[in-house]
Amino acid sequence: MCGVIGLFDNENVVSKLYSSMLTIQHRGQDSAGILTFDGTFHLKKGNGLIRDIFDQKNIARLQGNIGIGHTRYPTVGEGSVEDAQPFWLNFPFGIAGAHNGNITNFFQLKKELNDKSKKIINSNCDMEVVLNVFAEYIEKFKNKKITPEIIFNAVKYVYKRVKGSYAVVLYIAGIGMLGFRDPYGLRPLLFGETKPELTNEKSIYGFASESTSLSVLNFDIIRDVEPGSAIFINEDKEIFEKKLSSKPHRPCIFEYIYFARPDSDLNGINVYSSRVELGNSLAKKIKKLKLDIDIVSPVPDSARTASIAIARKLKLKYREGLVKNRYIGRTFIMPEDNARKESINQKLNPIEAVFIDKNVLLVDDSIVRGNTSRAIVQMVRNAGAKKIFFASYSSPLTNPCFYGIDMQTKGEFIALNSTEEEIAKKIGADLVIYQDIKDMERSVRAQNKQIKSFCKACFTGDYPTGDITEDMLVQIENDRANNVKSKLNNKNK
Ligand code: AMP
């Protein structure tokens, strides 16, 4: 998963961009990059967290009013620094960009660009391919004035060739900044404007994966880029917008469940409020089970909001019995199982005084492989709990995500071909309770009924782009498994 931000300022943009990027660190902690433009491109990217990559020296070098920032967790490629974003090209124009999503026909496009157009794609990052496809279209107009119409047709060309999910921010040197979402609007992209302090200056414009990235900069107007639409800001800061595809909107439901920040509004839906609603609706199901529960306790952090809602609805005590060490990175993304298990214990610690002799309802956002859940159940048992009921406010996950969320191969899902009783046994809980899929969708949709359906492919296997064939599933799973292997090999070198 990734986060992207593009800012078109009136003054040096890098400090604004840097502070805004800190709000999308949770979307990718493997690498990050900043590109600015002041007549030439300046680029700095590296592996690790934003605070470790950028220092005063490279910030001083990143001059210009235009900037694109990116945080990355790779879903293709090995995560080497060559694959970090943003990317830029020099032909037919200077074009730079970054995206959030995952291109499902990446390997095919990489080959086609090489075989037919003799383009060399140096990285294993799908953004390089998007950039080249876009450039391939506008190359035909290299001796003409590049109008918004040409830009929009280039986006249409991208839609025709590039499959999967993508929320893209591009800057075409001396021509303007462009933001667009894939036809289904799978991944979020927000657009914002703010008036500068000096009245004779033009507005500052921005694109971002989450509304929070623009609200921390005090933007006055923040709205979604429509799915299948593009917004173009030319060098005179005139805005052009066009709907380029009429596919149904299918935003990713997992953004609301786990991924996005609670203070973000995506697709007209506030993430925090959707988690309250997910908690309320799961409480109804739990109530019917008439369980003997003493306390409701969240797995921090994402499950906190829903847990409070559940405790309130069920008129039960809410207790935070698991303490999270904030200084340890996400455990989920470590490729080796052992390292993952070990660091779960370092990451969470139980409070015995909370759990001892209690029947506990533990609440988490999801159960993926079950490694974290198993370790947590064990931890809470060791802390003296009598019964442990494990509730997930999302439905059972059974299918890999091909649109940018790190959910790898099918075999890794604990819920695949298992009953709830079997899952409970595997993670050591007395009972496992999942949210029903209809309730999950209804809860998130409650704030925006214009969205007819979400992408729930990781729960149902129904991929909205309609182009994920069995062969592709096998191929992409193999690619991913190989990536994990080579990451491991590189680590051992
Ligand atoms: P596990 O019990 O090992 O399946 O881990 C479940 C935990 O992983 C939950 O607490 C989620 O908050 C978290 N999680 C779910 N999806 C992801 C993801 N794509 N990346 C990182 N963590 C995730």
Side-chain angles (χ1 to χ4, degrees):
M1 190 51 129
C2 301
V4 60
I5 298 171
L7 294 177
F8 196 159
D9 206 337
N10 298 317
E11 56 183 19
N12 234 15
V13 76
V14 70
S15 63
K16 267 192 205 118
L17 189 59
Y18 181 90
S19 48
S20 176
M21 277 172 72
L22 294 173
T23 67
I24 51 163
Q25 182 71 89
H26 63 289
R27 299 184 70 89
Q29 297 161 358
D30 214 73
S31 61
I34 291 181
L35 173 139
T36 60
F37 181 79
D38 67 349
T40 54
F41 289 129
H42 307 284
L43 178 65
K44 167 70 189 169
K45 39 192 187 180
N47 281 337
L49 299 178
I50 296 164
R51 63 165 188 243
D52 300 324
I53 298 168
F54 302 98
D55 57 25
Q56 279 183 346
K57 231 168 84 192
N58 52 54
I59 289 283
R61 189 172 60 74
L62 293 165
Q63 293 286 313
N65 299 354
I66 285 139
I68 297 176
H70 190 265
T71 56
R72 179 170 201 241
Y73 175 72
T75 41
V76 290
E78 294 165 18
S80 64
V81 75
E82 289 82 32
D83 296 343
Q85 301 187 40
F87 274 84
W88 59 278
L89 298 177
N90 235 340
F91 182 81
F93 304 89
I95 311 175
H99 94 123
N100 166 31
N102 188 49
I103 308 306
T104 49
N105 60 342
F106 167 71
F107 292 103
Q108 179 202 331
L109 284 173
K110 188 173 174 173
K111 189 169 178 326
E112 273 175 28
L113 283 162
N114 191 262
D115 292 352
K116 293 189 192 145
S117 319
K118 302 290 169 234
K119 299 261 186 295
I120 308 290
I121 306 296
N122 291 304
S123 74
N124 261 326
C125 174
D126 46 10
M127 184 58 210
E128 206 186 348
V129 156
V130 177
L131 212 53
N132 273 279
V133 171
F134 182 86
E136 199 168 68
Y137 184 86
I138 58 167
E139 195 177 327
K140 291 184 266 180
F141 304 92
K142 65 174 183 281
N143 298 321
K144 293 199 174 133
K145 183 176 161 29
I146 300 297
T147 61
E149 213 41 46
I150 293 172
I151 304 261
F152 291 140
N153 285 336
V155 176
K156 263 192 180 171
Y157 181 70
V158 170
Y159 287 170
K160 218 164 78 189
R161 294 197 59 195
V162 180
K163 308 291 173 212
S165 67
Y166 38 97
V168 181
V169 179
L170 294 183
Y171 177 69
I172 310 154
I175 294 173
M177 186 176 266
L178 173 73
F180 60 93
R181 282 172 88 184
D182 66 72
Y184 296 90
L186 286 154
R187 300 259 72 92
L189 189 67
L190 284 296
F191 174 65
E193 175 185 357
T194 186
K195 304 261 180 277
E197 277 159 31
L198 300 172
T199 45
N200 60 343
E201 284 195 329
K202 292 184 175 160
S203 287
I204 301 162
Y205 293 100
F207 294 98
S209 294
E210 295 200 23
S211 61
T212 311
S213 312
L214 299 175
S215 61
V216 294
L217 298 177
N218 294 321
F219 270 54
D220 306 315
I221 305 165
I222 304 171
R223 63 184 170 91
D224 294 274
V225 175
E226 292 298 310
S229 292
I231 297 179
F232 174 65
I233 312 150
N234 72 9
E235 289 295 274
D236 295 324
K237 291 210 165 163
E238 291 169 306
I239 309 285
F240 303 85
E241 186 166 3
K242 196 158 184 181
K243 179 98 180 142
L244 301 162
S245 161
S246 54
K247 296 273 196 252
H249 191 188
R250 293 283 180 271
C252 164
I253 200 162
F254 211 68
E255 290 274 356
Y256 303 94
I257 291 164
Y258 169 75
F259 218 80
R261 279 173 62 123
D263 48 346
S264 278
D265 294 311
L266 311 176
N267 306 296
I269 298 172
N270 172 252
V271 176
Y272 173 86
S273 306
S274 67
R275 288 181 191 164
V276 171
E277 214 31 57
L278 284 158
N280 285 339
S281 107
L282 186 58
K284 282 188 200 150
K285 181 170 176 180
I286 297 171
K287 192 170 184 184
K288 286 188 199 141
L289 298 174
K290 298 198 172 13
L291 301 170
D292 181 15
I293 302 167
D294 297 317
I295 56 163
V296 179
S297 194
V299 176
D301 286 314
S302 39
R304 210 169 255 142
T305 314
S307 304
I308 295 172
I310 292 172
R312 281 198 155 195
K313 275 262 169 213
L314 298 179
K315 299 195 171 61
L316 289 168
K317 283 182 195 141
Y318 171 80
R319 291 288 180 266
E320 298 206 352
L322 293 167
V323 178
K324 188 171 174 177
N325 183 341
R326 295 183 186 287
Y327 304 99
I328 297 194
R330 280 193 180 170
T331 55
F332 189 92
I333 54 184
M334 292 189 190
E336 315 95 320
D337 248 14
N338 276 341
R340 199 180 298 129
K341 277 177 204 152
E342 253 173 48
S343 53
I344 290 166
N345 283 315
Q346 290 171 7
K347 192 171 162 184
L348 287 176
N349 202 39
I351 304 174
E352 220 180 275
V354 169
F355 292 125
I356 196 148
D357 289 334
K358 296 285 192 310
N359 289 343
V360 182
L361 176 71
L362 276 178
V363 183
D364 205 351
D365 56 84
S366 58
I367 309 174
V368 190
R369 301 176 177 101
N371 292 333
T372 318
S373 325
R374 192 179 310 112
I376 289 168
V377 170
Q378 188 61 53
M379 206 180 266
V380 174
R381 260 220 219 275
N382 292 346
K386 283 196 296 192
K387 283 193 179 160
I388 300 172
F389 312 112
F390 200 99
S392 158
Y393 67 76
S394 63
S395 306
L397 285 159
T398 46
N399 297 277
C401 173
F402 292 101
Y403 303 130
I405 300 239
D406 168 42
M407 279 183 206
Q408 304 268 339
T409 54
K410 236 179 154 103
E412 286 177 284
F413 293 99
I414 194 171
L416 191 75
N417 303 324
S418 293
T419 62
E420 287 183 13
E421 290 73 37
E422 286 164 343
I423 299 167
K425 208 166 162 204
K426 282 187 205 166
I427 66 166
D430 294 276
L431 185 74
V432 161
I433 310 150
Y434 280 106
Q435 182 98 256
D436 294 336
I437 199 149
K438 273 200 182 129
D439 292 337
M440 180 176 77
E441 186 157 27
R442 188 189 37 73
S443 304
V444 182
R445 208 178 146 242
Q447 291 174 66
N448 185 359
K449 299 262 168 60
Q450 278 174 352
I451 297 171
K452 298 289 171 240
S453 183
F454 288 84
C455 173
K456 311 179 285 296
C458 50
F459 301 101
T460 61
D462 177 14
Y463 296 93
T465 53
D467 53 6
I468 308 284
T469 60
E470 269 307 311
D471 283 355
M472 277 172 84
L473 279 166
V474 174
Q475 155 90 36
I476 294 174
E477 290 212 355
N478 286 343
D479 291 335
R480 284 183 169 183
N482 288 337
N483 274 340
V484 172
K485 260 190 225 148
S486 69
K487 260 189 184 177
L488 273 175
N489 289 340
N490 288 345
K491 249 189 159 177
N492 295 334
K493 271 178 199 163

